[in-house]
Amino acid sequence: MQVRARLHALCIKLWLPPYYEGTNGADEIEIENLADQFSGILGIPKSDCTLALIELQESAIRKSKAREEFATTGVATFNVRRVNNRRTQSTQSIVEVKCPLTSFGVVLQKNISKILDIDEPDRIKCISAGNILDPCQSLTDQGIKNNQQLMLIISEAGKKEQMQEFVIHARIQKIKQDLETIADSNSHLFEMEDQDGNAVLLPPAENRAILIAMGICEKARVAIKRERYDEALILLLEADEKFIYICNSKFLEFVDNYALLNLDIVWCYLCHQNVTQLPDAQRRLEICENNFRRSYGENLQRLVYLKGETFCEKALIMRLHLLQGVVLFHQNKRSEAYEKFLIVENELRALKVNEKNWVSPSSVCTLIEMGYQSKLVVQALLDSKNDLNIALDLLQNYADELCRKLSSDYTLDARLMQQLLQLGFGESHVRMALQMSLNNLETAIDILFKYHTDSEDLNSFVKRMTAIANEENIPSTSNGLTSLAEKIAKKATKEIESCASKKD
């Protein structure tokens, strides 16, 4: 990358004299002199510079010859980079494949299968600029050009690997068929909402497409977790086609599903260690960033206003910045990549959980219900690393020692405590929740919800919070009490719906 960037900066063309003569070939002395010069400037060993220059020169000459052949015969040349399905290996070497641009995609598949000795061409998946090539369309209609690099997902030769590839192919087809069957049923399976919780209504055709796309995305994420990145990438690109089908709809502006899809696609590129799709990766990350900014607001302020602490979304932003840094690095923009990685480092540090201060909410509730004080319960769980049996033993036999360990200088946030008390929560429960959450309001509310889990309590929450939210005489300076009540009412309603669905 550094040698290529230096060549471009100096406008040096390795396929022309003095570095290459048509009849005599490469001039080794000129290449050596250039390597010696670059070595001192770039701080790279001369031998590495020489190898890089030779590789870049050979690539440039191949492209030049391919252009000449295409101009005279119309036959295009493609550099196809194979990807192995096995997790222990990543990208394979590049092979050269020729095919007229007027040919259908199936012809290219057959040409590739001959070179790679693949018995069944229809199992070959060619990816170009983030799209799976359609066997039934011409290469020209699909925007394919001469000298283009293609990404190829295929198993290695051998019966065992071919059978594995067949299983993957069959599994993907089965997933698509199942999702299409569900989408075509008359059942009302799901509702979509924007970031404000408002229902998003789509025409039937678009609704079907988005349902299938979201289902495929979920299957792809399962494949990613199992490190089947080849299968995941194919599924994600299939889902991308469904999203593109509805790209004229305002739907993509209201939700972050399409942003997450693009983020996962670039993640698969990274896991395959494949830089041939670098332009597509950059394009998709730009889509993702714009969507996040529109959905979440600058610096997540819109999301924080609606939901409070947003650790899941912060993790997504960190992942976006990480991938942006990787792309910048492979574009040889090293200083920009370094700055991006510094941002990622800080974001990752902020997301890390302090294991010393974390306790299990369910264990706290269990022990408090047994009659132990909340402060002692928290300390016991901290000392036992959330082992319920050990914590119970500490409470029964070492209560005095737990009391001595309690931090004397720890104080609860009086403002948060007053807000929660105004909303009708009991003082002992509020103190316990704020202590466990280290004065984090969002976490404290979650703890209070876990302590009041039956439907009667939840319905009471909804009524009380709705009444507070609609109260006209609440002063505007009440530290967001109205918006907090609205948030809790929405959360309680969703919890009720979740409990009802589990019972069904």
Side-chain angles (χ1 to χ4, degrees):
M1 290 186 294
Q2 294 182 74
V3 170
R4 182 190 290 113
R6 186 66 184 170
L7 290 171
H8 288 169
L10 298 175
C11 298
I12 294 175
K13 299 179 180 180
L14 295 176
W15 63 95
L16 296 177
Y19 308 102
Y20 185 82
E21 296 286 349
T23 55
N24 299 325
D27 191 320
E28 296 180 1
I29 296 177
E30 290 292 341
I31 294 293
E32 287 292 329
N33 292 338
L34 194 59
D36 188 53
Q37 175 189 341
F38 279 21
S39 176
I41 295 173
L42 300 176
I44 299 174
K46 181 181 177 180
S47 58
D48 290 346
C49 284
T50 301
L51 290 173
L53 288 168
I54 292 173
E55 182 178 337
L56 290 170
Q57 184 185 58
E58 291 176 349
S59 176
I61 292 169
R62 283 196 303 269
K63 289 181 179 179
S64 178
K65 291 180 178 178
R67 284 193 294 268
E68 293 175 4
E69 182 180 7
F70 180 70
T72 57
T73 66
V75 176
T77 301
F78 305 103
N79 294 317
V80 178
R81 185 180 292 269
R82 299 181 61 188
V83 171
N84 192 350
N85 289 323
R86 293 183 295 180
R87 303 176 194 175
T88 54
Q89 298 183 24
S90 55
T91 306
Q92 302 299 298
S93 58
I94 294 177
V95 296
E96 191 175 84
V97 180
K98 297 181 182 294
C99 184
L101 291 182
T102 54
S103 302
F104 280 19
V106 66
V107 177
L108 178 60
Q109 285 180 314
K110 291 178 179 179
N111 291 352
I112 293 173
S113 67
K114 290 178 182 178
I115 294 174
L116 300 180
D117 194 24
I118 303 296
D119 294 334
E120 299 178 46
D122 62 331
R123 297 199 339 246
I124 294 174
K125 298 289 185 181
C126 290
I127 300 173
S128 171
N131 297 311
I132 300 176
L133 295 190
D134 189 339
C136 301
Q137 288 189 28
S138 72
L139 301 180
T140 301
D141 291 342
Q142 299 183 68
I144 306 301
K145 299 179 181 179
N146 182 42
N147 269 329
Q148 193 161 342
Q149 289 197 354
L150 305 177
M151 180 179 176
L152 182 67
I153 294 181
I154 192 74
S155 66
E156 289 196 12
K159 292 184 179 180
K160 181 178 179 180
E161 288 80 7
Q162 286 183 359
M163 180 58 69
Q164 178 188 10
E165 177 65 21
F166 177 78
V167 170
I168 292 174
H169 176 77
R171 185 162 55 234
I172 291 173
Q173 296 304 314
K174 183 67 165 58
I175 289 171
K176 291 167 59 180
Q177 291 171 4
D178 290 345
L179 290 170
E180 288 175 356
T181 300
I182 293 172
D184 291 334
S185 68
N186 293 324
S187 302
H188 188 68
L189 298 170
F190 78 113
E191 294 180 352
M192 290 177 289
E193 296 180 348
D194 60 18
Q195 294 295 335
D196 295 315
N198 301 317
V200 178
L201 301 177
L202 295 174
E206 294 185 4
N207 191 78
R208 180 183 187 276
I210 194 63
L211 175 58
I212 295 174
M214 293 172 67
I216 294 175
C217 285
E218 289 305 313
K219 295 294 184 181
R221 292 188 181 108
V222 173
I224 289 175
K225 289 181 180 179
R226 295 175 179 173
E227 300 182 14
R228 296 202 300 259
Y229 302 116
D230 51 346
E231 178 181 340
L233 181 57
I234 294 173
L235 286 169
L236 290 168
L237 294 177
E238 295 272 5
D240 186 49
E241 291 183 2
K242 298 294 182 182
F243 274 111
I244 291 174
Y245 175 78
I246 61 167
C247 64
N248 292 326
S249 171
K250 290 292 184 181
F251 171 79
L252 299 183
E253 298 181 7
F254 294 134
V255 296
D256 57 9
N257 302 77
Y258 191 56
L260 301 181
L261 166 70
N262 283 283
L263 201 62
D264 286 336
I265 288 175
V266 180
W267 187 260
C268 287
Y269 289 159
L270 172 64
C271 293
H272 279 309
Q273 301 178 23
N274 193 308
V275 296
T276 62
Q277 302 297 312
L278 198 62
D280 185 59
Q282 182 180 7
R283 178 184 68 86
R284 291 183 182 279
L285 291 179
E286 289 174 356
I287 293 173
C288 184
E289 184 174 32
N290 292 334
N291 192 297
F292 280 167
R293 186 180 294 113
R294 185 168 51 244
S295 298
Y296 302 155
E298 294 290 343
N299 300 318
L300 296 176
Q301 81 272 11
R302 181 169 177 271
L303 202 62
V304 171
Y305 173 76
L306 293 171
K307 296 176 60 177
E309 287 295 332
T310 53
F311 293 109
C312 291
E313 288 78 10
K314 285 181 179 179
L316 292 174
I317 298 296
M318 182 212 68
R319 192 172 170 215
L320 168 65
H321 290 159
L322 172 64
L323 291 173
Q324 287 175 329
V326 173
V327 170
L328 287 169
F329 175 81
H330 284 288
Q331 292 174 333
N332 202 37
K333 299 177 181 178
R334 300 201 167 203
S335 60
E336 296 175 39
Y338 178 74
E339 292 175 2
K340 190 68 70 172
F341 289 141
L342 287 179
I343 293 173
V344 172
E345 185 179 33
N346 291 330
E347 291 172 335
L348 180 60
R349 188 180 296 114
L351 287 169
K352 286 185 177 179
V353 176
N354 188 342
E355 296 292 343
K356 293 180 181 180
N357 295 326
W358 183 85
V359 292
S360 168
S362 60
S363 297
V364 170
C365 294
T366 299
L367 293 172
I368 289 177
E369 288 172 355
M370 295 173 68
Y372 296 103
Q373 294 180 5
S374 60
K375 289 184 178 181
L376 292 179
V377 166
V378 171
Q379 188 62 51
L381 287 170
L382 287 173
D383 290 354
S384 65
K385 297 181 179 179
N386 290 295
D387 187 304
L388 188 60
N389 293 327
I390 296 177
L392 184 59
D393 180 64
L394 292 175
L395 289 166
Q396 290 175 339
N397 302 313
Y398 302 95
D400 292 340
E401 186 175 340
L402 290 175
C403 289
R404 287 192 296 270
K405 282 188 175 183
L406 288 174
S407 176
S408 59
D409 59 350
Y410 180 79
T411 57
L412 300 178
D413 188 311
R415 181 182 63 85
L416 297 181
M417 186 169 183
Q418 184 63 27
Q419 281 188 328
L420 293 172
L421 290 176
Q422 283 182 277
L423 293 175
F425 293 103
E427 182 176 351
S428 61
H429 295 155
V430 171
R431 287 183 178 276
M432 176 265 294
L434 288 175
Q435 182 182 4
M436 289 175 57
S437 65
L438 300 179
N439 291 316
N440 182 289
L441 180 60
E442 185 74 15
T443 306
I445 293 172
D446 287 338
I447 293 171
L448 290 168
F449 267 51
K450 290 182 182 297
Y451 192 75
H452 301 80
T453 53
D454 60 71
S455 58
E456 187 175 336
D457 277 339
L458 292 172
N459 279 306
S460 176
F461 278 150
V462 174
K463 293 178 181 178
R464 188 165 72 242
M465 299 309 153
T466 302
I468 294 174
N470 295 330
E471 191 73 35
E472 296 182 357
N473 60 359
I474 290 180
S476 58
T477 57
S478 60
N479 294 322
L481 191 65
T482 301
S483 61
L484 181 59
E486 291 176 348
K487 182 195 300 183
I488 295 177
K490 285 185 178 180
K491 184 170 288 191
T493 301
K494 289 184 178 180
E495 190 71 22
I496 292 171
E497 293 172 353
S498 176
C499 292
S501 64
K502 289 178 181 179
K503 288 180 180 180
D504 291 342

